[in-house]
Amino acid sequence: MLNVAEICTATEALGSGIRAVVWVQGCPFHCRGCLAPDWIPDRPAQQMSPHELAAALLSDSRVTGLTFSGGEPMAQAAELAATARVVRAVKEVTLICFTGFRLEELTDRPAAAELLAEVDVLIDGRYVAARNDDRGLRGSANQRVHHLTDRLRGFDFTGAPRRAELHVNDRDVLLVGVPPSGLTAAWSTIGRGGM
Ligand code: SF4
């Protein structure tokens, strides 16, 4: 089972086109300035099977891609890999995955290899607030963009202007995207975040 912090079924703020996003709960890193501190603790959140999560991620027919974030996706790598396979059995989608690990730190992890086999673009490394350059889809300039396939070569992951969306439902407001730092500071005073 997956331990899911949040789902967004459609956004244009986390990669090319319209994407469905899952943020997993729990991260072994504690980066200063993390945009999603509520999702760092390894505590029970929404328990979902890969099939349940895949159904949620496929619920908007406009979606052409998935983004996995967190929390730490590599801590639930086997379950997320299974989710990607279930989605792709139904629909061909691209997959972007964030991780606080550097790619080299994942080589001895079979579950991570299983997930990496599904990933088109991996954005790796811990967030370093002092290197946040307010550009692109990675949080700070030390984080690297690995094109593991050619499917998303046309998208500017490092230089494009940042964008973020506010998603409002009956219980919460969710900040989706990698926002400009000014917005991050304002948001930290009023609510919770996603990335
Ligand atoms: S790796 Fe990502 S989710 Fe984990 S603490 Fe760092 S910024 Fe937050």
Side-chain angles (χ1 to χ4, degrees):
M1 296 293 276
L2 288 126
N3 193 23
V4 172
E6 192 60 80
I7 293 167
C8 174
T9 56
T11 178
E12 296 182 70
L14 276 171
S16 71
I18 298 178
R19 314 188 70 81
V21 186
V22 57
W23 295 269
V24 295
Q25 180 74 43
C27 179
F29 308 112
H30 293 266
C31 308
R32 186 188 297 263
C34 171
L35 191 62
D38 290 350
W39 301 340
I40 293 175
D42 186 13
R43 63 184 178 217
Q46 303 175 64
Q47 307 298 305
M48 303 179 78
S49 70
H51 279 86
E52 290 170 330
L53 178 57
L57 297 176
L58 283 165
S59 62
D60 190 315
S61 61
R62 299 171 300 161
V63 163
T64 59
L66 308 180
T67 300
F68 292 169
S69 188
E72 176 48 62
M74 291 299 165
Q76 302 183 48
E79 296 84 354
L80 287 173
T83 302
R85 290 193 295 267
V86 173
V87 170
R88 283 177 160 160
V90 177
K91 185 175 189 177
E92 185 50 51
V93 293
T94 59
L95 175 55
I96 299 168
C97 183
F98 290 86
T99 178
F101 290 97
R102 288 175 67 83
L103 184 57
E104 299 85 344
E105 297 174 306
L106 298 171
T107 51
D108 293 334
R109 293 171 168 255
E114 198 182 329
L115 178 53
L116 290 173
E118 300 294 330
V119 171
D120 294 301
V121 170
L122 183 79
I123 301 175
D124 79 348
R126 270 68 113 188
Y127 172 67
V128 177
R131 298 199 59 191
N132 182 348
D133 61 359
D134 265 344
R135 306 296 295 178
L137 205 59
R138 76 277 189 277
S140 52
N142 60 295
Q143 295 172 315
R144 301 172 302 176
V145 177
H146 300 276
H147 286 271
L148 304 184
T149 74
D150 288 331
R151 290 191 189 109
L152 290 170
R153 287 271 180 203
F155 186 80
D156 183 0
F157 285 87
T158 57
R162 296 238 174 115
R163 60 183 299 169
E165 300 168 357
L166 290 178
H167 290 240
V168 181
N169 61 30
D170 57 355
R171 63 181 167 83
D172 223 338
V173 181
L174 182 68
L175 179 62
V176 179
V178 183
S181 52
L183 178 58
T184 307
W187 180 251
S188 66
T189 67
I190 60 173
R192 53 183 298 200
M195 181 170 167

